Amino acid sequence: MTVRVFIVDDHPLLRRGLAQLIDMAGDRGLAMAGEASNGAEALARIESLNPELVVLDLNMPDMNGVEVLQALRERGFSAPVVFLTVSDEQTGFSAALQSGANGYLLKQSEPDRLVDDLLRAASGEVVISPLLTSALARAMRSAGCSGPEGLEGVTPREQDILGCLGRGLSNKRIARELDITEATAKVHVRSLLRKMKLRSRVEAAVWAARHGMVPDEPD
């Protein structure tokens, strides 16, 4: 399946470079769906093109990335949306967390790593640049959503789920790793978020990383 990517960024050079990278990754399943230089244009074109993945700048004039994502979700657009930001500054991260984005990546990411992360996001995984983890954790604390001090009430299976979320796994991959059904994985994720008073999978992923809940990758 080809993942059609739509780019939203107010810098023409960035859009051109990212579009070239996506075109070069055609053999890996990425293709350009279109691009926009501002939020209003993005909303109109995304609605008509219905891409499988949106790459969205966080800081744009007139309508920022969070506002664009919120408008997309209100219109029923459910495909993954990944923020691509220029720095690890905390500004805007709290709102972005609550908006339900599927990832937060840096524009200075290595090209191959960026392609990998976009493909993972398109498959439903949460992707976070390692350099952004600390900034996201600070944003969570400032927003009052850093989670409980411990894991009281969280079952051993839910702790396994938390470790998987810390690695950014989708429900399908969680189910495969833990030998459960995808529906069961979804129920566990929902229960875990409720118990820990976290508002999204991204918050859970950051909490897990900051609290040593991320297991080593299997050989």
Side-chain angles (χ1 to χ4, degrees):
M1 173 180 167
T2 299
V3 176
R4 296 175 303 121
V5 183
F6 192 93
I7 302 169
V8 187
D9 197 291
D10 59 327
H11 292 91
L13 189 59
L14 185 283
R15 293 199 310 273
R16 184 178 305 170
L18 188 53
Q20 290 177 346
L21 178 63
I22 290 171
D23 286 338
M24 291 172 60
D27 60 339
R28 299 184 60 185
L30 292 181
M32 278 294 295
E35 61 182 67
S37 61
N38 59 70
E41 180 186 4
L43 293 177
R45 299 206 64 203
I46 290 172
E47 188 171 18
S48 64
L49 293 172
N50 196 29
E52 284 76 40
L53 177 67
V54 173
V55 178
L56 184 59
D57 190 14
L58 186 61
N59 298 307
M60 297 185 294
D62 300 325
M63 191 176 192
N64 65 41
V66 171
E67 292 170 332
V68 173
L69 176 54
Q70 290 172 341
L72 286 172
R73 298 307 190 213
E74 289 172 0
R75 297 181 180 198
F77 183 76
S78 60
V81 176
V82 173
F83 280 103
L84 190 61
T85 181
V86 71
S87 72
D88 61 356
E89 293 180 0
Q90 180 177 335
T91 305
F93 279 168
S94 296
L97 283 170
Q98 298 176 46
S99 69
N102 298 76
Y104 304 89
L105 303 173
L106 292 174
K107 290 181 178 178
Q108 54 265 44
S109 300
E110 290 293 329
D112 287 343
R113 175 62 184 269
L114 183 56
V115 169
D116 288 341
D117 285 338
L118 293 181
L119 288 168
R120 289 174 55 209
S123 72
E125 298 186 26
V126 175
V127 291
I128 305 173
S129 171
L131 295 178
L132 287 174
T133 303
S134 295
L136 286 168
R138 290 195 302 271
M140 288 170 59
R141 288 196 295 271
S142 68
C145 50
S146 58
E149 290 300 319
L151 294 170
E152 293 81 4
V154 176
T155 67
R157 175 57 87 193
E158 288 169 344
Q159 291 186 39
D160 293 338
I161 295 287
L162 182 58
C164 291
L165 291 177
R167 292 161 53 200
L169 302 188
S170 63
N171 287 342
K172 181 178 295 186
R173 286 192 60 187
I174 291 174
R176 187 162 63 244
E177 287 218 1
L178 300 182
D179 195 24
I180 57 179
T181 67
E182 188 173 349
T184 298
K186 185 175 181 179
V187 170
H188 282 313
V189 170
R190 186 182 301 117
S191 174
L192 175 68
L193 296 180
R194 175 179 54 79
K195 288 180 180 180
M196 296 187 69
K197 299 179 181 178
L198 298 171
R199 290 178 288 210
S200 72
R201 299 170 71 96
V202 175
E203 289 184 5
V206 175
W207 195 99
R210 296 292 291 176
H211 291 79
M213 295 292 298
V214 181
D216 293 333
E217 289 284 353
D219 295 331

